[in-house]
């Protein structure tokens, strides 16, 4: 392994600057563990031909193709791994998810204000004196951004004493789901001081009331306003916020603070949708659309609508609300589950058919970022195991005897078209291996301050999550161990249950300083309990105002 470690190093290029996280470091080691070595059908090793025949038969047997659902997410952010393969399913007229699980709520909320969710670029980070990490565990989840911001004055707004809060100059602890009220409080203080003007609806809110709802003393709201007024910080808006109650409105209001203060590109959420990469073209949506689109919070709850689920690049039994319902439907024989994964994920373990996928170290791909404008040509450095997503979908198309212009256009040609709006070509990327996109971003401004009747006042106990340094969601247990769910909180120790209106799940509770009363915190890398059931089994299929799943569920505890 040392040879690889010496030879393959993180790019020295800005803004990655030659270092990586504990997962990047472990990738070469992980590559040889827990791999799906051969295609499997109903627990038996078979040839790829046999497995594909089985899948093709199952697909042909379903007349109404909307009863086929493909579930794919971001296990690997390659354009050929994740996006392009959706073409086959769109050509077939299968159902798709809405790709909402991670960040849709925030994207839509910011777009409602600015027409784009594109914010500060790494190059912009340098010009700020200060930064507010709002619902962002950047010290863990965003280490390259964190490193660039090392010398800035830092403020964290979180529901608990996060790593980021501990390592910041100042922190504000807010009650879960009340960030929108805090952000309105900041605007109200600034407007009262005359530092900003023209913000609508602020007269509908009273500062003492905002303080009570958020649990943040009035002086602290004023101090946060001081930071905004005096230091004109960058605001890093965390994805976790979008999955909280009132999450979309919280993000839209937070994103408006820099605008009212006249801070240019003063927020960063995720720049992926403003880079100019035409993801819809890669997925073939210009010529073929899914027959039905299902919100990712509802896949479990709506499982009865489907006969076959095809999963790649995702681990939905663990990561989606009601993932346990997918598992139960497979076990009862109501649904055929096909999984394409390099590793024996929890979802692969219960599948009827498992197909081995190469890792990113073993295949050609093109990788982009949610943050910077570099696109990287990913070349294989290890012998390939299994069959790539692109190959797999082409083979399946042949077995199914479907042809369509979308399937005839090879991935590189499709990429070339998809990059049209970015200022680079696929040929240039292949030649230079790393290219910098030049996104054209246009901003407009539509003020969006919700009135009190548009908001929920959260009450009771709330589940919250965060990224763990050693895992990417459910990945990397091969290297860092398979941990089970521990719920950090202020009151309980030992075994017990999390209870919601959709059920209960057994977990371990652990008292932890820095987790306020009413907050139940888990690492999203260990959602699975000792019985193999994900905490998502009790997360109801609830959607936010902008369509994203609300994962920060209201819970009761039973011990
Ligand atoms: N309750 C709760 N649920 C959550 C969250 C939370 O905070 N709380 N977080 C949410 C978030 S932010 C996200 S992004 C989602 C993530 O949800 P998922 O995308 O389901 O998460 P991962 O655990 O990363 O699973 C990715 C799978 O892809 C596989 N994979 C890796 N590389 C490749 C490849 O090249 N090809 C193929 N075919 N497969 C590959 C991995 O082995 C793994 O099994 O989970 C969400 N779920
Ligand atoms: N090491 C590592 N890095 C990762 C990942 C990983 O799994 N591991 N996952 C990647 C992915 S898929 C994503 S989406 C990003 C996510 O990265 P972030 O956007 O940083 O989101 P989270 O890590 O989910 O949580 C951020 C913080 O939000 C806090 N929080 C929860 N609810 C609320 C609330 O209602 N209000 C406020 N103010 N704070 C709240 C949590 O306590 C936590 O400290 O990270 C990416 N980076
Ligand atoms: Mo995510």
């Amino acid at each position: 392994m040392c040879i690889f470690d010496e030879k393959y190093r993180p790019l020295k290029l800005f803004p990655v600057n030659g270092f990586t996280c504990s997962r990047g470091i472990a990738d070469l080691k992980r590559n040889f563990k827990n791999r799906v070595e051969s295609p499997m059908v109903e627990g038996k090793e078979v040839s790829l031909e046999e497995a594909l025949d089985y899948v093709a038969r199952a697909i042909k047997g379903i007349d109404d193709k909307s009863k086929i659902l493909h579930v794919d997410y971001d296990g690997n952010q390659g354009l050929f791994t994740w996006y392009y393969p959706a073409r086959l399913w769109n050509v077939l007229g299968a159902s798709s998810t809405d790709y909402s699980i991670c960040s849709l709520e925030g994207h839509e909320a910011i777009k409602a204000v600015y027409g784009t969710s594109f914010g500060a670029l790494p190059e912009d980070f340098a010009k700020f004196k200060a930064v507010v990490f709002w619902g962002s565990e950047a010290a863990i989840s965003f280490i390259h951004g964190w490193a660039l911001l090392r010398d800035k004055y830092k403020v964290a707004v979180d529901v608990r004493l996060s790593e980021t809060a501990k390592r910041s100059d100042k922190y504000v602890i807010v009650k879960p789901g009340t960030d929108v009220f805090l952000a309105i409080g900041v605007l109200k203080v600034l407007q009262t001081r005359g530092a900003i003007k023209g913000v609508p609806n602020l007269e509908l809110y009273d500062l003492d009331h905002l303080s009570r709802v958020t649990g943040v003393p009035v002086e602290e709201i004023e101090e946060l306003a001081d930071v905004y007024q005096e230091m004109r910080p960058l605001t890093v808006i965390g994805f976790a916020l979008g999955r909280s109650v009132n999450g979309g409105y919280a993000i839209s209001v937070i994103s408006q603070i820099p605008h009212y203060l006249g801070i240019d590109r003063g927020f960063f959420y995720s720049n992926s949708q403003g880079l100019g990469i035409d993801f819809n073209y890669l997925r073939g949506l210009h010529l073929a659309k899914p027959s039905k689109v299902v919100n990712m919070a509802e896949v479990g709850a709506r499982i009865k609508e489907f006969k076959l689920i095809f999963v790649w690049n995702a681990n939905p039994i663990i990561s989606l609300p009601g993932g346990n319902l997918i598992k139960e439907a497979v076990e009862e024989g109501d649904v055929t589950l096909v999984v394409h994964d390099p590793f024996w994920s929890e979802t692969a373990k219960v599948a009827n058919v498992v197909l081995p996928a190469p890792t990113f170290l073993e295949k050609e791909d093109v990788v982009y970022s949610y943050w910077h404008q570099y696109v990287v040509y990913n070349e294989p450095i290890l012998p390939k195991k299994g069959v790539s997503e692109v190959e797999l979908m082409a083979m399946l198309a042949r077995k199914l005897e479907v042809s369509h212009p979308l399937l005839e256009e090879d991935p590189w040609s499709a990429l070339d078209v998809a990059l049209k709006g970015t200022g680079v070509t696929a040929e240039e990327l292949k030649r230079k291996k790393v290219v910098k996109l030049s996104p054209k971003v246009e901003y407009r401004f539509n003020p969006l301050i919700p009135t009190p009747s548009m908001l929920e006042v959260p009450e009771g106990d709330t589940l919250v999550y965060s990224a763990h340094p050693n895992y990417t969601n459910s990945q990397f247990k091969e290297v860092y161990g398979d941990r089970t769910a521990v719920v950090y909180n202020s009151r309980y120790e030992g075994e017990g249950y999390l209870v919601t209106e959709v059920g209960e799940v057994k977990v371990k509770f652990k008292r932890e300083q820095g987790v306020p009363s009413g907050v139940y915190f888990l690492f999203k890398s260990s959602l699975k309990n000792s019985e193999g059931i994900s905490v998502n089994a009790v997360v109801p299929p609830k959607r936010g105002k902008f369509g994203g799943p609300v994962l920060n569920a209201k819970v009761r505890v039973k011990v």
Side-chain angles (χ1 to χ4, degrees):
M1 238 35 35
C2 297
I3 314 166
F4 300 132
D5 289 349
E6 282 306 308
K7 201 162 156 209
Y8 300 107
R9 294 198 163 276
L11 291 174
K12 290 240 166 65
L13 214 64
F14 176 88
V16 173
N17 296 329
F19 73 97
T20 185
C21 56
S22 52
R23 298 153 298 142
I25 290 163
D27 253 319
L28 285 158
K29 212 186 209 178
R30 166 168 87 138
N31 208 66
F32 301 93
K33 299 184 174 187
N34 192 30
R35 294 293 297 270
V36 177
E37 300 286 345
S38 146
M40 309 283 291
V41 172
E42 306 296 358
K44 279 206 263 319
E45 275 187 32
V46 296
S47 68
L48 185 58
E49 283 297 312
E50 287 171 287
L52 292 177
D53 282 333
Y54 186 99
V55 177
R57 252 196 324 274
I59 292 173
K60 281 182 181 162
I62 300 169
D63 290 331
D64 176 0
K65 298 293 190 258
S66 74
K67 294 200 159 112
I68 300 172
L69 173 70
H70 64 99
V71 178
D72 43 295
Y73 208 67
D74 199 0
N76 161 347
Q77 200 157 287
L79 297 176
F80 297 163
T81 293
W82 184 13
Y83 298 87
Y84 175 87
R87 286 186 168 206
L88 171 66
W89 304 99
N90 291 333
V91 166
L92 288 175
S95 297
S96 169
T97 72
D98 61 353
Y99 301 105
S100 59
I101 190 70
C102 174
S103 59
L104 176 119
E105 182 79 6
H107 276 295
E108 294 308 315
I110 300 174
K111 279 190 215 160
V113 176
Y114 292 104
T116 171
S117 50
F118 198 88
L121 285 164
E123 285 80 354
D124 300 318
F125 278 33
K127 70 179 193 212
F128 292 93
K129 278 206 299 244
V131 51
V132 175
F133 296 101
W134 203 316
S136 163
E137 182 59 306
I140 290 174
S141 65
F142 184 28
I143 57 168
H144 292 102
W146 177 257
L148 281 192
L149 297 165
R150 190 174 18 225
D151 300 329
K152 315 288 179 188
Y153 182 84
K154 302 190 195 69
V155 181
V157 182
D158 208 294
V159 292
R160 63 181 180 106
L161 190 59
S162 63
E163 247 338 273
T164 303
K166 282 184 205 158
R167 298 206 236 155
S168 289
D169 298 283
K170 182 181 178 61
Y171 59 79
V172 178
I173 302 294
V174 63
K175 285 189 192 163
T178 69
D179 298 81
V180 62
F181 299 100
L182 178 60
I184 288 171
V186 168
L187 285 171
K188 192 165 171 89
V189 171
L190 291 172
Q191 184 147 290
T192 309
R193 288 178 184 167
I196 60 176
K197 53 177 191 293
V199 188
N201 293 338
L202 296 182
E203 68 286 359
L204 305 173
Y205 296 91
D206 165 77
L207 202 54
D208 288 317
H209 177 70
L210 293 171
S211 166
R212 267 194 311 281
V213 171
T214 55
V216 180
V218 169
E219 311 79 77
E220 282 191 39
I221 303 178
E222 287 168 344
E223 283 168 28
L224 187 54
D226 292 343
V227 171
Y228 271 103
Q229 193 177 348
E230 288 158 23
M231 307 192 82
R232 302 172 65 79
L234 167 71
T235 305
V236 173
I237 306 173
F239 285 14
L241 259 189
R243 302 177 221 117
S244 70
V245 171
N246 302 313
Y249 284 133
I251 290 179
S252 78
V253 178
I254 294 165
S255 79
Q256 290 168 82
I257 301 175
H259 170 88
Y260 282 111
L261 282 166
I263 306 174
D264 189 34
R265 278 220 190 136
F267 69 87
F268 166 69
Y269 175 68
S270 161
N271 291 337
S272 57
Q273 296 187 13
L275 291 172
I277 304 174
D278 191 344
F279 300 111
N280 289 345
Y281 187 85
L282 286 168
R283 289 188 171 124
L285 297 182
H286 55 295
L287 292 181
K289 292 209 165 43
S291 48
K292 188 154 80 180
V293 176
V294 185
N295 183 263
M296 285 183 105
E298 296 172 350
V299 173
R302 293 174 61 178
I303 194 68
K304 289 205 157 57
E305 295 173 32
F306 305 104
K307 292 245 160 279
L308 188 141
I309 314 271
F310 190 98
V311 174
W312 79 94
N313 216 23
N315 190 8
I317 285 184
I318 297 296
S319 58
L320 297 191
N324 57 309
L325 301 173
I326 308 176
K327 186 173 175 209
E328 285 162 25
V330 176
E331 285 164 353
E332 312 224 317
D334 297 334
V335 159
T336 302
L337 177 63
V338 183
V339 175
H340 184 229
D341 202 298
F343 300 97
W344 280 105
S345 69
E346 286 80 1
T347 307
K349 280 183 186 155
V350 302
N352 303 88
V353 180
V354 186
L355 300 159
T359 63
F360 77 98
L361 299 169
E362 302 167 348
K363 66 187 161 198
E364 182 178 64
D365 212 332
V366 174
V367 184
Y368 74 100
S369 164
Y370 282 0
W371 179 39
H372 59 67
Q373 321 95 293
Y374 294 93
V375 170
V376 178
Y377 174 29
N378 182 92
E379 290 175 283
I381 57 163
L382 290 174
K384 189 168 82 178
K385 268 193 185 153
V387 54
S388 77
E389 292 67 18
V390 170
E391 293 163 336
L392 176 63
M393 305 310 167
M395 286 164 145
L396 255 181
R398 278 198 295 278
K399 294 262 180 219
L400 292 166
E401 296 161 84
V402 288
S403 62
H404 190 281
L406 282 177
L407 306 176
E408 268 128 53
E409 187 180 35
D410 74 74
W412 281 100
S413 312
L415 178 74
D416 201 46
V417 181
L419 289 180
K420 278 242 155 69
T422 67
V424 300
T425 64
E427 182 280 321
E428 195 182 341
L429 166 64
K430 235 176 168 168
R431 188 160 37 85
K432 296 187 178 161
K433 305 202 194 288
V434 182
V435 291
K436 191 172 178 182
L437 310 181
S438 323
K440 291 183 222 47
V441 187
E442 276 172 36
Y443 292 93
R444 55 173 169 71
F445 186 74
N446 277 333
L448 173 53
I449 307 293
T451 60
S453 67
M454 292 155 85
L455 300 174
E456 261 182 71
V457 177
E459 277 165 13
D461 297 338
T462 309
L463 269 177
V464 306
Y465 320 83
S466 189
H468 188 286
N470 290 344
Y471 302 84
T472 305
N473 297 306
S474 72
Q475 301 189 68
F476 287 91
K477 45 189 175 282
E478 293 81 11
V479 180
Y480 295 114
D482 197 358
R483 297 158 155 240
T484 53
V486 176
V487 180
Y488 298 93
N489 72 101
S490 65
R491 292 178 66 184
Y492 305 106
E493 258 317 307
E495 283 202 340
Y497 293 85
L498 292 172
V499 187
T500 69
E501 70 259 35
V502 295
E504 57 181 48
V505 64
K506 196 168 159 186
V507 290
K508 244 203 194 124
F509 290 97
K510 197 164 175 359
R511 265 196 296 274
E512 172 87 5
Q513 273 196 338
V515 180
S517 146
V519 176
Y520 290 82
F521 166 73
L522 290 125
F523 286 110
K524 64 181 177 146
S525 50
S526 41
L527 293 174
K528 186 175 67 177
N529 72 7
S530 56
E531 293 157 0
I533 298 173
S534 169
V535 163
N536 270 321
V538 301
V539 175
K542 182 177 168 182
R543 299 167 68 168
K545 290 288 184 327
F546 298 85
V550 178
L551 302 178
N552 287 11
K554 184 174 171 179
V555 281
R556 261 190 321 109
V557 170
K558 210 170 81 183
V559 286

